[in-house]
Amino acid sequence: MFRRTFWFTAGAAAGVWATTKVHSKLRQLTPESLAAQAANKALDAGHRLKDFALDVRDGMVQREAELGEALGLDAPVDGELPPQRATAALQGRPAGTRAIGHTYSHKGTTRNGDH
């Protein structure tokens, strides 16, 4: 009698355990769960890509500094432009040139070709 009770209890426990495992796997395979898993993996990949890009940028700045030092250049390596280049870049023209559309008078004609 004791054997039958033991095997009945062991079978019932195994059945409950198997049913629980099957239901948890089925919940993982629902469309909502799959979408959430895909979104989480995409976020993780985005974070890894951002970290990689930041590492590349840091290495690039470091290498530019090394090359500038080796070549004796005093160029800024922190990504900032010198003041004259920064204002020219903001205005959309090369440094040392005048504003676009400015006319120069010379004997009644303008530089833009107007007569």
Side-chain angles (χ1 to χ4, degrees):
M1 179 77 180
F2 182 70
R3 279 187 184 171
R4 286 185 182 172
T5 307
F6 171 77
W7 287 114
F8 177 77
T9 306
V16 168
W17 177 80
T19 303
T20 305
K21 284 290 195 179
V22 167
H23 282 290
S24 67
K25 287 293 181 186
L26 286 176
R27 268 185 261 126
Q28 289 178 354
L29 296 176
T30 61
E32 296 85 14
S33 178
L34 292 175
Q37 289 175 12
N40 288 338
K41 287 185 181 188
L43 284 174
D44 289 341
H47 289 302
R48 285 193 304 267
L49 185 61
K50 179 184 171 188
D51 291 341
F52 174 73
L54 290 174
D55 288 344
V56 168
R57 180 162 173 79
D58 290 342
M60 183 177 64
V61 168
Q62 180 182 359
R63 184 63 178 150
E64 284 179 4
E66 291 171 0
L67 289 173
E69 188 176 303
L71 296 174
L73 301 175
D74 292 330
V77 292
D78 60 344
E80 293 184 25
L81 293 173
Q84 69 273 13
R85 288 186 61 203
T87 56
L90 290 175
Q91 294 173 355
R93 58 188 173 84
T97 61
R98 295 183 187 247
I100 298 173
H102 183 76
T103 58
Y104 299 93
S105 296
H106 183 64
K107 296 185 181 179
T109 63
T110 63
R111 189 168 187 166
N112 291 334
D114 297 332
H115 297 284

